[in-house]
Amino acid sequence: AVKFARAWGCEVTAFTSSPSKREEALALGAHRTVSSVDLQELKAAAGSLDFLLITVGASLEWDALINTLAPKGRMHLVGVVTDKMSLKSGSLLSWQRSLSASPTPSPTLLARMLDFAARHQILPQVQRYPMSRVNEAVAHLRSGQARYRVVLDADFD
């Protein structure tokens, strides 16, 4: 998402819950980073964003994130949040902010996205494991150390 937004010419702010990922986010093209778990950092970013794309399925500080939006800003979910999302409607109403979500896009839109990625040399961040080490790959993923997707390669004869 950071690479795409940067290629579109957006001013990109990346949110992360991990201090170790700040430098990675900047290297991927973010102009700045904000901690998604530090309420002081979230408060400092209040009213500064036009669009906030949520790609994770974790429970977050929803009210604080909504408050980072400028008037008429939009928070859009593509990650599947399985816990209840608790937020106050006042910050949506008073500033005409909105909340939206979308599923996987159509094959046509996916093809356009892949064409854009090819033109701008946007490549995925993956860590590869042979299928014979699947348990190690799953453990790596569950530990939160994956950067950013784990791919299994068939290594069977």
Side-chain angles (χ1 to χ4, degrees):
V2 169
K3 290 179 179 185
F4 274 90
R6 183 67 185 243
W8 284 323
C10 299
E11 182 83 12
V12 181
T13 300
F15 287 76
T16 180
S17 61
S18 168
S20 68
K21 289 187 179 178
R22 286 184 186 259
E23 289 303 316
E24 289 178 54
L26 295 170
L28 290 171
H31 293 91
R32 73 188 62 76
T33 63
V34 172
S35 169
S36 61
V37 295
D38 183 325
L39 293 177
Q40 293 297 358
E41 281 193 42
L42 289 167
K43 190 174 182 178
S48 66
L49 304 175
D50 296 315
F51 185 76
L52 181 55
L53 180 65
I54 306 294
T55 62
V56 299
S59 293
L60 301 171
E61 297 290 340
W62 299 112
D63 285 320
L65 286 169
I66 289 285
N67 285 331
T68 65
L69 294 171
K72 298 187 180 181
R74 175 185 301 257
M75 183 167 78
H76 188 80
L77 301 164
V78 294
V80 178
V81 179
T82 57
D83 292 336
K84 283 185 179 181
M85 291 179 62
S86 178
L87 60 105
K88 297 175 184 138
S89 63
S91 60
L92 291 169
L93 293 167
S94 61
W95 296 100
Q96 296 182 315
R97 295 168 174 147
S98 61
L99 174 62
S100 59
S102 59
T104 302
S106 68
T108 302
L109 191 54
L110 280 174
R112 286 180 52 204
M113 180 194 78
L114 291 173
D115 287 343
F116 182 86
R119 278 194 315 276
H120 294 277
Q121 298 177 343
I122 298 172
L123 302 173
Q125 300 290 118
V126 299
Q127 291 176 310
R128 303 183 90 84
Y129 283 82
M131 190 72 75
S132 59
R133 291 175 43 209
V134 65
N135 291 337
E136 183 182 337
V138 170
H140 182 70
L141 184 63
R142 286 186 177 152
S143 73
Q145 295 178 359
R147 298 290 193 267
Y148 284 86
R149 295 290 183 256
V150 172
V151 174
L152 296 173
D153 294 319
D155 64 339
F156 305 113
D157 293 330

